[in-house]
Amino acid sequence: METDIDDRYGDLDSRTDSDIPEIPPSSDRTPEILKKALSGLSSRWKNWWIRGILTLTMISLFFLIIYMGSFMLMLLVLGIQVKCFHEIITIGYRVYRSYDLPWFRTLSWYFLLCVNYFFYGETVADYFATFVQREEQLQFLIRYHRFISFALYLAGFCMFVLSLVKKHYRLQFYMFAWTHVTLLITVTQSHLVIQNLFEGMIWFLVPISSVICNDITAYLFGFFFGRTPLIKLSPKKTWEGFIGGFFSTVVFGFIAAYMLSKYQYFVCPVEYRSDVNSFVTECEPSELFQLQSYSLPPFLKAVLRRETVSLYPFQIHSIALSTFASLIGPFGGFFASGFKRAFKIKDFANTIPGHGGIMDRFDCQYLMATFVHVYITSFIRGPNPSKVLQQLLVLQPEQQLNIYKTLKTHLIEKGILQPTLKL
């Protein structure tokens, strides 16, 4: 019996791609009404219609959630994160046949809970300081948040060590690493998506919609005009689709940025107002979202017959976001294609007919979320007065008084405040 276990698990690290067991294909979950309506079409056109109908349905639901507000968008991100984690972890279970490993399924979800507790606790500490200040129990949790998070993770780590079983060691460590890489891909990236959302809904909508636009237009250009293969990892991807998707996405991003920049609902940072106990998006729009006049280059002056053009500065930034979404973003999809080929699967799951799993639709979004976060912190973000005020409010009275005295002295030295006046 021990020899059989050795044969099964002992040589996992020496297997080649051809040795990976094939995972049974997922069942077709296309609604019967669609199957009957499209029964007379070829498989190529049947898939085109199924993808199109489901895409329009998902976009409509997305608009509805946007209308419902920032909190519902955060719940949507959390739900997508959990589903993506489930899809990737399930592949690991199937590939390594690890269903019988002691505690492992429980530990995987426990680690997901721990990492989410850490990241969302950090968000609460950053953006809900005024609310936390009123609740004594929350003050304790926030003050010792990182210690509690580490203790929770440490408990899971010890549980994993205690669960190690002779002849299963190598497989258990494979799955331990698989879980942590999955957490890195899903949880940390979804946390960045929410951080972008707090900067203003426009920083959430334009990048995400640009990736969606590139996905749709690249598919359409490839479907109707595609002739030249783009990359071996994705045989259906073509240069025609890649180039057509790029230009379409840049134009779409530029127009979407113009439309959304007009409304406070989209451009103001998402903040929690304790007096109304809800999220609000009210502010005086920054210069980034105020129309500015720009001089045109000489060759455009002759074509457009005008000297200047009025644009929102954010529209210029949208070109950078759209360019990344259409040129670099697809590499997230190529990475996912390589992953699926390595484990001989067509899709991560069969959640959405014609599309595959949730991860199949969001493989490029995670890479985009990281870029947007880095872009904001590098080129956009300045001091946020409301956030600075929240951080001051959670300080002890003595610390607030010291800051007050220092600020008053600085203003007097600069001649901004008269010594006889009170701040």
Side-chain angles (χ1 to χ4, degrees):
M1 184 175 184
E2 290 183 355
T3 303
D4 291 340
I5 295 175
D6 278 337
D7 291 340
R8 181 179 176 185
Y9 297 126
D11 297 324
L12 279 173
D13 58 349
S14 62
R15 295 191 304 180
T16 63
D17 286 352
S18 60
D19 298 323
I20 299 294
E22 290 192 16
I23 298 176
S26 302
S27 58
D28 185 8
R29 300 182 62 179
T30 305
E32 288 297 328
I33 188 172
L34 275 181
K35 288 182 179 179
K36 293 179 180 178
L38 305 174
S39 58
L41 299 176
S42 64
S43 59
R44 182 169 181 261
W45 279 100
K46 186 184 299 183
N47 184 64
W48 190 90
W49 277 104
I50 292 173
R51 285 177 66 100
I53 293 171
L54 269 296
T55 297
L56 292 176
T57 303
M58 289 187 290
I59 291 175
S60 301
L61 291 174
F62 185 55
F63 283 145
L64 176 62
I65 294 174
I66 293 171
Y67 175 77
M68 296 171 70
S70 304
F71 183 70
M72 293 304 298
L73 284 173
M74 294 177 198
L75 291 181
L76 174 66
V77 172
L78 177 61
I80 289 171
Q81 172 220 115
V82 172
K83 181 57 180 170
C84 289
F85 178 84
H86 171 258
E87 290 177 358
I88 300 176
I89 285 294
T90 300
I91 292 172
Y93 291 150
R94 292 177 177 177
V95 168
Y96 292 109
R97 300 189 180 98
S98 55
Y99 291 102
D100 54 345
L101 286 181
W103 296 7
F104 203 83
R105 184 180 289 272
T106 302
L107 280 174
S108 296
W109 289 99
Y110 176 80
F111 282 127
L112 176 67
L113 179 65
C114 290
V115 177
N116 271 303
Y117 175 80
F118 170 74
F119 280 118
Y120 282 91
E122 293 285 307
T123 299
V124 170
D126 284 342
Y127 293 98
F128 306 105
T130 54
F131 174 74
V132 170
Q133 186 188 22
R134 297 183 304 172
E135 303 292 335
E136 187 174 346
Q137 297 85 352
L138 290 180
Q139 287 184 30
F140 174 82
L141 291 175
I142 294 301
R143 184 176 181 180
Y144 300 104
H145 170 68
R146 295 191 177 184
F147 179 81
I148 295 172
S149 300
F150 177 71
L152 290 172
Y153 177 82
L154 202 59
F157 179 82
C158 293
M159 290 169 62
F160 167 74
V161 173
L162 292 174
S163 71
L164 291 173
V165 179
K166 186 179 180 181
K167 304 300 182 181
H168 288 64
Y169 295 152
R170 190 172 297 173
L171 177 62
Q172 287 179 287
F173 278 102
Y174 276 136
M175 293 307 300
F176 184 77
W178 186 288
T179 299
H180 281 67
V181 172
T182 304
L183 290 172
L184 177 66
I185 293 173
T186 57
V187 182
T188 57
Q189 305 304 310
S190 64
H191 174 68
L192 295 181
V193 172
I194 292 178
Q195 292 288 307
N196 298 339
L197 179 58
F198 274 108
E199 295 296 325
M201 202 181 292
I202 196 169
W203 291 104
F204 173 85
L205 294 177
V206 170
I208 283 184
S209 59
S210 294
V211 172
I212 294 173
C213 173
N214 183 71
D215 191 28
I216 294 173
T217 55
Y219 174 77
L220 292 176
F221 275 95
F223 186 87
F224 290 106
F225 309 109
R227 297 293 183 272
T228 313
L230 175 63
I231 186 171
K232 290 183 179 179
L233 283 173
S234 297
K236 294 183 180 180
K237 298 290 193 300
T238 63
W239 275 105
E240 291 81 3
F242 186 75
I243 295 171
F246 165 70
F247 287 107
S248 302
T249 303
V250 171
V251 172
F252 168 83
F254 193 79
I255 296 174
Y258 176 79
M259 298 299 295
L260 297 179
S261 295
K262 298 178 179 181
Y263 304 99
Q264 286 189 12
Y265 183 75
F266 297 114
V267 304
C268 290
V270 178
E271 297 176 355
Y272 179 80
R273 285 266 299 275
S274 55
D275 55 336
V276 295
N277 195 31
S278 66
F279 294 96
V280 296
T281 51
E282 298 176 358
C283 68
E284 181 66 29
S286 67
E287 292 184 358
L288 199 61
F289 304 107
Q290 295 179 12
L291 281 173
Q292 308 285 341
S293 293
Y294 295 92
S295 297
L296 291 172
F299 70 93
L300 285 179
K301 289 180 181 178
V303 175
L304 300 177
R305 296 180 180 179
R306 56 190 305 178
E307 298 290 326
T308 62
V309 62
S310 295
L311 298 173
Y312 292 101
F314 180 76
Q315 288 181 267
I316 300 174
H317 293 291
S318 74
I319 296 175
L321 299 178
S322 301
T323 300
F324 185 91
S326 54
L327 295 184
I328 308 299
F331 280 85
F334 300 152
F335 176 85
S337 296
F339 179 88
K340 290 184 284 188
R341 280 180 168 271
F343 296 103
K344 299 180 180 179
I345 55 177
K346 181 178 182 293
D347 297 310
F348 282 95
N350 63 340
T351 309
I352 311 171
H355 292 265
I358 298 295
M359 192 65 198
D360 290 287
R361 293 278 59 85
F362 288 88
D363 46 12
C364 301
Q365 296 287 5
Y366 286 126
L367 194 61
M368 188 71 193
T370 306
F371 171 74
V372 173
H373 184 76
V374 172
Y375 189 88
I376 292 173
T377 55
S378 300
F379 304 110
I380 304 298
R381 182 181 291 162
N384 187 334
S386 62
K387 191 172 179 181
V388 173
L389 179 60
Q390 286 184 348
Q391 292 171 343
L392 288 175
L393 290 174
V394 297
L395 297 176
Q396 297 299 321
E398 296 80 5
Q399 295 172 309
Q400 293 180 2
L401 182 60
N402 289 335
I403 293 174
Y404 164 81
K405 291 178 178 179
T406 303
L407 179 59
K408 181 177 180 180
T409 302
H410 176 73
L411 294 177
I412 291 173
E413 290 175 352
K414 293 292 185 181
I416 300 173
L417 184 69
Q418 296 297 323
T420 56
L421 295 178
K422 292 184 178 181
L423 183 61

